[in-house]
Amino acid sequence: QVQLVESGGGLVQPGGSLRLSCAASGTIRSINAMGWYRPAPGKRRELVAVITSGGSTNYADSVKGRFTISRDNAKNTVYLQMNSLKPEDTAVYYCNADVRTTTTVVVRYWGQGTQVTVSS
């Protein structure tokens, strides 16, 4: 079993910054992609940012230039540095990880979510 634990959410004023963390623990051989998602109108969740095991990244257009995703493979942890926050960034942010638990099995796990509120 694998658990993802998120932290770092909170209340911040417009223009402010927050750093989210998501640590994976449990039966982990390796982790492929790790990402951050948030709810969006008409969708269950939309991609905010994703990073591969090799460090390649991809971002939603709405956060490009403001958010930065990174990871520490030794700690099985992914981060999301959020700068220049806007009220429309307010959401519950969920991390996920594609975890290889055996030589042949890869399972996508989700965290419980962390609330980010951008308001004056």
Side-chain angles (χ1 to χ4, degrees):
Q1 195 56 274
V2 174
Q3 297 80 40
L4 300 183
V5 179
E6 296 140 336
S7 60
L11 173 64
V12 63
Q13 292 186 342
S17 298
L18 282 174
R19 188 190 194 212
L20 305 183
S21 300
C22 174
S25 62
T27 306
I28 299 172
R29 289 179 61 91
S30 63
I31 301 178
N32 296 344
M34 303 183 81
W36 291 93
Y37 289 72
R38 64 189 182 189
K43 302 178 183 179
R44 184 166 181 262
R45 292 170 186 170
E46 67 170 0
L47 173 69
V48 175
V50 63
I51 184 167
T52 68
S53 57
S56 298
T57 59
N58 192 33
Y59 296 91
D61 289 342
S62 58
V63 307
K64 283 181 181 177
R66 300 188 298 121
F67 291 11
T68 303
I69 189 170
S70 60
R71 63 190 283 173
D72 184 332
N73 290 330
K75 296 181 179 179
N76 291 329
T77 300
V78 63
Y79 306 96
L80 185 67
Q81 178 67 44
M82 304 186 294
N83 298 329
S84 302
L85 282 161
K86 304 175 181 180
E88 51 263 43
D89 294 318
T90 295
V92 177
Y93 285 72
Y94 299 89
C95 72
N96 74 4
D98 292 337
V99 179
R100 183 174 296 279
T101 56
T102 71
T103 56
T104 58
V105 176
V106 178
V107 179
R108 174 163 291 184
Y109 291 92
W110 290 88
Q112 79 286 355
T114 185
Q115 177 70 46
V116 171
T117 302
V118 185
S119 175
S120 55

